[in-house]
Amino acid sequence: GAVVSQHPSWVICKSGTSVKIECRSLDFQATTMFWYRQFPKQSLMLMATSNEGSKATYEQGVEKDKFLINHASLTLSTLTVTSAHPEDSSFYICSARDRRLAGATQYFGPGTRLLVL
Amino acid sequence: GESVGLHLPTLSVQEGDNSIINCAYSNSASDYFIWYKQESGKGPQFIIDIRSNMDKRQGQRVTVLLNKTVKHLSLQIAATQPGDSAVYFCAESLTGANYLFFGSGTRLTVIP
């Protein structure tokens, strides 16, 4: 149980294009999903908290117009990196909380590696 | 602000030995802690959690110890195996908070 998937797992794009990453909770419903960014040999940096049916809450320093988040259903959240640039290259990881469970346990997806040329 | 940190950024152990990974946290209000394992190129995987009303919790080959007096958390892995090689993160949650604060991670390398 508590499986989270991400798609795609790898994406290479040209500078200036937009990239959409999907995060799905496969066997549970998640009212809250989280998007993280991770640079090599560093910890996870929370970018935003995505709540189903409402606007995402972005962490300080994260551009909401740059990183568009949509949480249209209880099992799907999407992150769109708009007009991607090489500095956006990173490992993006989503996580989800099971709405049935109390507490802050998050289950993570396998990550999406973005390379912007 | 809150911070979660690790004493040892890297740890190498012989296969079969026990491993101990340490974590310090600064916010005494934190009441929920989780250990995650992250293998290269993958997302973090939940290992074990513990609430502040407990001092110790055991799982399969893993034990988490919580010392609230010194705000210290540790993960013990018994009979470490090559498959345990990964980066281990501790994370804390505050009462009423919706999210986790992650530590910087410790890379565990198991030597066959």
Side-chain angles (χ1 to χ4, degrees), chain B residues 26-65:
Chain B
S26 60
N27 193 329
S28 57
S30 295
D31 62 357
Y32 182 58
F33 305 88
I34 305 175
W35 280 100
Y36 286 95
K37 172 187 179 183
Q38 186 178 26
E39 296 176 85
S40 180
K42 298 182 179 179
Q45 175 187 3
F46 174 91
I47 301 174
I48 192 168
D49 60 357
I50 188 169
R51 294 200 173 275
S52 59
N53 60 351
M54 301 174 68
D55 297 321
K56 179 180 180 179
R57 191 166 187 218
Q58 288 184 296
Q60 186 177 10
R61 282 202 307 118
V62 294
T63 301
V64 55
L65 298 177

Side-chain angles (χ1 to χ4, degrees), chain B:
Chain B
E2 301 84 9
S3 67
V4 181
L6 295 172
H7 295 309
L8 298 174
T10 61
L11 177 66
S12 296
V13 297
Q14 292 286 339
E15 181 179 357
D17 288 351
N18 296 333
S19 302
I20 299 176
I21 302 172
N22 297 304
C23 177
Y25 64 96
S26 60
N27 193 329
S28 57
S30 295
D31 62 357
Y32 182 58
F33 305 88
I34 305 175
W35 280 100
Y36 286 95
K37 172 187 179 183
Q38 186 178 26
E39 296 176 85
S40 180
K42 298 182 179 179
Q45 175 187 3
F46 174 91
I47 301 174
I48 192 168
D49 60 357
I50 188 169
R51 294 200 173 275
S52 59
N53 60 351
M54 301 174 68
D55 297 321
K56 179 180 180 179
R57 191 166 187 218
Q58 288 184 296
Q60 186 177 10
R61 282 202 307 118
V62 294
T63 301
V64 55
L65 298 177
L66 176 62
N67 186 330
K68 296 180 287 293
T69 302
V70 295
K71 290 180 281 188
H72 183 267
L73 189 71
S74 68
L75 176 70
Q76 300 179 359
I77 305 173
T80 313
Q81 303 169 359
D84 295 327
S85 294
V87 177
Y88 290 81
F89 293 97
C90 64
E92 65 173 321
S93 179
L94 306 176
T95 300
N98 191 35
Y99 49 84
L100 299 168
F101 295 102
F102 281 86
S104 56
T106 291
R107 178 173 296 281
L108 174 65
T109 301
V110 181
I111 304 168

Side-chain angles (χ1 to χ4, degrees), chain A residues 30-115:
Chain A
T31 50
T32 306
M33 289 184 170
F34 305 85
W35 287 96
Y36 293 83
R37 185 173 181 177
Q38 186 178 36
F39 291 103
K41 299 184 179 181
Q42 294 189 21
S43 188
L44 287 75
M45 181 190 79
L46 179 65
M47 298 175 65
T49 302
S50 170
N51 296 296
E52 185 266 337
S54 63
K55 292 183 179 180
T57 302
Y58 290 82
E59 295 300 301
Q60 189 174 8
V62 178
E63 300 176 58
K64 61 180 181 181
D65 295 329
K66 173 75 171 178
F67 300 98
L68 300 179
I69 291 173
N70 183 279
H71 193 156
S73 77
L74 289 172
T75 60
L76 173 64
S77 176
T78 61
L79 169 68
T80 301
V81 183
T82 62
S83 186
H85 291 286
E87 58 265 29
D88 298 323
S89 299
S90 190
F91 192 49
Y92 292 88
I93 310 172
C94 74
S95 68
R97 287 180 57 200
D98 189 331
R99 69 185 300 208
R100 299 167 300 177
L101 303 177
T105 304
Q106 296 176 23
Y107 299 96
F108 286 83
T112 296
R113 191 164 299 281
L114 170 64
L115 177 60

